[in-house]
Amino acid sequence: MSTNTLENNPLREQLIEHVISLFRDTMPFNQLLGLQFLRKQHDIELHVPWQQSLTGNPLQKILHGGVTATMLDTIGGITAIIETIRLTPCDELANLQQKLATMGTVDMRVDYLRPGRGTLFVATAAVIRKGSKLTVCRMELHNELGDHIAFGTGTYMLG
Amino acid sequence: MSTNTLENNPLREQLIEHVISLFRDTMPFNQLLGLQFLRKQHDIELHVPWQQSLTGNPLQKILHGGVTATMLDTIGGITAIIETIRLTPCDELANLQQKLATMGTVDMRVDYLRPGRGTLFVATAAVIRKGSKLTVCRMELHNELGDHIAFGTGTYMLG
Amino acid sequence: MSTNTLENNPLREQLIEHVISLFRDTMPFNQLLGLQFLRKQHDIELHVPWQQSLTGNPLQKILHGGVTATMLDTIGGITAIIETIRLTPCDELANLQQKLATMGTVDMRVDYLRPGRGTLFVATAAVIRKGSKLTVCRMELHNELGDHIAFGTGTYMLG
Amino acid sequence: MSTNTLENNPLREQLIEHVISLFRDTMPFNQLLGLQFLRKQHDIELHVPWQQSLTGNPLQKILHGGVTATMLDTIGGITAIIETIRLTPCDELANLQQKLATMGTVDMRVDYLRPGRGTLFVATAAVIRKGSKLTVCRMELHNELGDHIAFGTGTYMLG
């Protein structure tokens, strides 16, 4: 979507790594859940290995719906930020960094498609609307077999 | 809404307490978050005291949006089940208990109204549609000052 | 919510009437559906009498879900605008008027609670979040008997 | 998704044509809007040419958000029904036909991505969850240039 690719600019790349570090290393709830952030070229994936502590029904070993919602909200939010960084001219990146702290989710819809069974859960997101203030993302949650467990739509405000 | 009040039937009351115990004592993720369930006459409230581990941004001490979503989904789900128990004739309660295991969230919308600041977060829900298979709830999250932090709508399937 | 009531300021009142006239008299699709806007003190109601042309299933005389969605979106939008006018200082009203043209719905959820039967359908809305750029409303649709037919949540952007 | 393709069974094909005819020829509000249903192999598309009467803002010639919502709800609903027909064994098709009358939208989210400008609007849908009672669809609205105007998610109940 952007003509300025990541590789072209070290400042932009640095800011993206900074944001990932914020989500991964400084947010207590993300750490409690063991959220792992993986760069995949221009995209980012969110991985969570199955753990007993993340289940709802303990007999069925199914992921708690709150974990699903957290993963979808988180991957949507970080994807919205990274896309915003990508589309921001280099001389405005410093300004953008200051606004990141006020970034927030406006609203989100989660559709629970299948019980959250599996050993590894992978959340991905794609930007479907990029405005100056609002970004809308679609989010997906799959397990390690590719089963589609949940789907979400989130509206995020930046600045 | 129901003409058979809780007080009138020990079986129904027993089943409601059983459901609360399931949510409170056997679901690992609910325990990880420290979810507290309080009976208030015919309604139930979900309480979570602020903890560092539930925050998103550590500097601002704001509740992580995933905790908000988990609380709204949970209070909507348990309220849907309890309303179903209330509206079920006594001779069908045993049958209902077997179906509880398959109860699940179909979809949910969360609106984040204000940053989740506070020392105690209280989630409440009300049933706005009660069908034979589907129940729709509105959910709210307030802090100890009564600030309206989030609002949700959830569709739940039972059986 | 506002300390500046409608009665206090003719400019504000004039702008509100202007907005209602825009919705009622100049929007072709609103006219096609016969949308009627009624002032009720500080609130506004949207009325639509049953008409054959607004039904989905012709045998059951049930309102088409698209009419329901249109009514909820419209009452949410006009309520968001009027609340914004109410909360705008008088010396910024002229500036606000220019921004009204760019006001739009960001997203909306509709919950269809009951079949849309009745002779008169009444939509109402309440603001649940008022930010500088975004307004979130809850919307309701009832029939003339007070049956709750549908419920919605909408996020609106202004300016 | 189904191993029984349309071509293989005249009963199934006949029922699909019957459903399309119901939506196209017997629903007054669909006729008021001029909804056109086009078969595209296993999928169906919903077309609406721009008309003045379907606009919100008359100066900007932009499609009214209610038309967008109606198109998304309609394409999601008919797609859910057709998928259900496709997945129903032949000896149960007669039974299914009786249940079609009670099919309804449970809830829907619409994301308005861009102003609805264009000369032809095309709505499409894909099933993302197919349960015994509930079907969840994603819906899209594009104009004749392929601009992505709106996106939706709908939950439909059948029977």
Side-chain angles (χ1 to χ4, degrees):
Chain A
M1 196 177 256
S2 167
T3 56
N4 299 312
T5 59
L6 290 175
E7 290 68 35
N8 291 345
N9 189 284
L11 274 178
R12 187 172 284 126
E13 174 63 16
Q14 203 175 318
L15 187 50
I16 290 173
E17 283 298 328
H18 170 69
V19 166
I20 294 172
S21 169
L22 277 179
F23 273 73
R24 183 187 57 213
D25 305 324
T26 76
M27 295 190 183
F29 192 64
N30 288 356
Q31 295 182 297
L32 187 68
L33 269 62
L35 302 192
Q36 301 169 2
F37 296 87
L38 281 82
R39 296 283 297 270
K40 294 286 174 98
Q41 298 195 357
H42 281 202
D43 293 323
I44 189 157
E45 287 187 359
L46 179 56
H47 286 205
V48 169
W50 184 87
Q51 304 170 49
Q52 179 74 32
S53 64
L54 304 183
T55 58
N57 186 322
L59 300 178
Q60 302 190 283
K61 304 182 79 173
I62 291 173
L63 206 64
H64 192 291
V67 179
T68 298
T70 301
M71 290 184 70
L72 293 183
D73 182 27
T74 302
I75 192 68
I78 198 168
T79 297
I81 293 177
I82 291 178
E83 181 71 3
T84 302
I85 295 173
R86 279 219 183 83
L87 298 175
T88 300
C90 293
D91 54 357
E92 296 176 19
L93 283 174
N95 188 25
L96 174 64
Q97 185 164 4
Q98 301 212 329
K99 289 197 286 184
L100 288 180
T102 63
M103 189 268 179
T105 311
V106 175
D107 59 55
M108 173 173 62
R109 176 181 168 118
V110 180
D111 291 89
Y112 294 91
L113 306 176
R114 284 179 188 74
R117 292 201 184 86
T119 58
L120 178 68
F121 301 98
V122 179
T124 54
V127 174
I128 57 168
R129 168 186 170 152
K130 185 75 199 73
S132 59
K133 293 156 195 161
L134 292 179
T135 303
V136 180
C137 292
R138 281 185 204 175
M139 299 85 78
E140 321 271 349
L141 186 72
H142 292 86
N143 65 11
E144 78 284 359
L145 301 172
D147 295 325
H148 199 182
I149 291 171
F151 166 70
T153 311
T155 301
Y156 301 89
M157 184 153 57
L158 185 59
Chain B
M1 195 177 256
S2 167
T3 56
N4 299 313
T5 59
L6 290 176
E7 291 68 36
N8 292 344
N9 189 285
L11 274 178
R12 187 174 282 127
E13 174 62 18
Q14 203 177 316
L15 187 49
I16 290 174
E17 283 299 328
H18 170 69
V19 166
I20 294 172
S21 170
L22 276 180
F23 273 73
R24 182 187 58 212
D25 306 324
T26 75
M27 296 190 184
F29 192 63
N30 288 356
Q31 295 181 297
L32 187 69
L33 269 63
L35 302 191
Q36 300 168 3
F37 296 86
L38 282 81
R39 296 285 296 269
K40 296 283 173 99
Q41 297 193 357
H42 281 201
D43 293 323
I44 189 158
E45 286 187 358
L46 179 55
H47 286 206
V48 170
W50 184 88
Q51 303 170 50
Q52 179 74 33
S53 64
L54 304 183
T55 58
N57 187 322
L59 300 178
Q60 302 189 282
K61 302 182 83 174
I62 291 172
L63 206 64
H64 192 292
V67 178
T68 298
T70 301
M71 289 184 71
L72 293 182
D73 182 26
T74 302
I75 192 66
I78 198 168
T79 297
I81 293 177
I82 290 178
E83 181 71 4
T84 302
I85 295 173
R86 279 217 185 83
L87 298 175
T88 300
C90 293
D91 54 357
E92 296 176 20
L93 284 173
N95 187 25
L96 175 63
Q97 184 164 3
Q98 301 212 329
K99 288 197 285 184
L100 289 180
T102 62
M103 190 267 179
T105 311
V106 174
D107 59 56
M108 174 173 60
R109 175 181 168 118
V110 180
D111 290 89
Y112 294 91
L113 306 176
R114 283 179 188 75
R117 292 199 183 87
T119 58
L120 177 68
F121 301 99
V122 179
T124 53
V127 174
I128 56 168
R129 168 186 170 152
K130 186 73 199 75
S132 59
K133 293 157 195 160
L134 292 178
T135 303
V136 180
C137 292
R138 282 186 204 175
M139 298 86 77
E140 321 271 350
L141 186 71
H142 292 86
N143 66 10
E144 78 284 0
L145 302 173
D147 296 326
H148 199 182
I149 291 172
F151 166 70
T153 311
T155 300
Y156 300 89
M157 184 153 57
L158 185 59
Chain C
M1 196 179 254
S2 167
T3 56
N4 299 313
T5 60
L6 290 176
E7 290 69 34
N8 292 345
N9 188 285
L11 274 178
R12 188 172 283 126
E13 174 62 17
Q14 204 176 317
L15 188 50
I16 290 173
E17 283 298 328
H18 171 69
V19 166
I20 295 172
S21 169
L22 276 179
F23 273 74
R24 183 188 56 212
D25 305 324
T26 76
M27 296 190 182
F29 192 63
N30 288 356
Q31 296 183 296
L32 187 68
L33 268 62
L35 303 190
Q36 300 168 3
F37 297 86
L38 281 81
R39 297 284 296 269
K40 294 282 174 104
Q41 298 194 356
H42 282 203
D43 294 323
I44 189 158
E45 287 187 357
L46 179 55
H47 287 205
V48 170
W50 184 88
Q51 303 170 51
Q52 178 74 33
S53 64
L54 304 182
T55 57
N57 187 323
L59 299 178
Q60 302 190 282
K61 301 182 83 174
I62 292 172
L63 207 64
H64 192 291
V67 178
T68 298
T70 301
M71 290 184 71
L72 293 181
D73 182 26
T74 302
I75 192 67
I78 198 168
T79 298
I81 293 177
I82 290 178
E83 181 72 3
T84 302
I85 294 173
R86 280 217 185 83
L87 298 173
T88 299
C90 293
D91 54 356
E92 296 176 20
L93 283 174
N95 187 26
L96 175 64
Q97 184 164 5
Q98 302 212 329
K99 287 197 286 183
L100 288 180
T102 63
M103 189 266 180
T105 311
V106 174
D107 59 56
M108 174 173 61
R109 175 181 168 117
V110 180
D111 291 89
Y112 295 92
L113 306 175
R114 282 178 189 75
R117 291 199 184 86
T119 59
L120 178 68
F121 301 99
V122 178
T124 53
V127 174
I128 56 169
R129 168 187 171 151
K130 186 72 199 77
S132 59
K133 292 157 196 159
L134 291 179
T135 304
V136 179
C137 292
R138 283 186 203 176
M139 299 86 77
E140 321 271 349
L141 186 72
H142 292 86
N143 65 11
E144 78 284 358
L145 302 172
D147 296 326
H148 199 182
I149 292 171
F151 166 70
T153 311
T155 301
Y156 300 89
M157 183 152 58
L158 185 58
Chain D
M1 195 178 253
S2 167
T3 56
N4 299 313
T5 60
L6 290 176
E7 290 68 37
N8 292 345
N9 189 285
L11 275 178
R12 186 172 283 126
E13 173 62 18
Q14 203 176 317
L15 187 49
I16 291 174
E17 283 298 328
H18 171 68
V19 166
I20 294 171
S21 169
L22 277 179
F23 273 73
R24 184 187 56 213
D25 305 325
T26 76
M27 296 190 182
F29 192 63
N30 288 356
Q31 295 182 297
L32 187 68
L33 269 62
L35 303 190
Q36 300 168 2
F37 296 87
L38 281 81
R39 296 284 298 270
K40 295 283 174 100
Q41 298 194 357
H42 282 203
D43 294 322
I44 189 159
E45 287 187 358
L46 179 55
H47 286 206
V48 169
W50 184 88
Q51 303 170 52
Q52 179 75 32
S53 64
L54 304 182
T55 57
N57 187 322
L59 300 177
Q60 301 189 283
K61 303 182 81 173
I62 291 173
L63 206 64
H64 192 291
V67 179
T68 298
T70 301
M71 289 184 71
L72 292 182
D73 182 26
T74 302
I75 193 67
I78 198 168
T79 298
I81 293 177
I82 291 178
E83 182 72 3
T84 303
I85 295 173
R86 280 218 182 84
L87 298 174
T88 300
C90 293
D91 54 357
E92 296 176 19
L93 284 174
N95 187 25
L96 174 64
Q97 185 164 3
Q98 301 211 330
K99 288 198 286 184
L100 289 180
T102 63
M103 189 267 178
T105 310
V106 174
D107 59 55
M108 172 173 62
R109 175 180 168 118
V110 180
D111 291 88
Y112 294 91
L113 306 176
R114 284 179 187 74
R117 291 200 184 87
T119 58
L120 178 68
F121 301 99
V122 179
T124 53
V127 174
I128 57 169
R129 168 188 170 150
K130 186 73 199 75
S132 60
K133 292 157 196 161
L134 292 179
T135 304
V136 180
C137 292
R138 281 185 203 175
M139 299 84 79
E140 321 270 349
L141 186 72
H142 291 85
N143 66 10
E144 78 284 358
L145 301 172
D147 296 325
H148 199 181
I149 291 171
F151 167 70
T153 311
T155 301
Y156 300 89
M157 184 154 56
L158 185 59

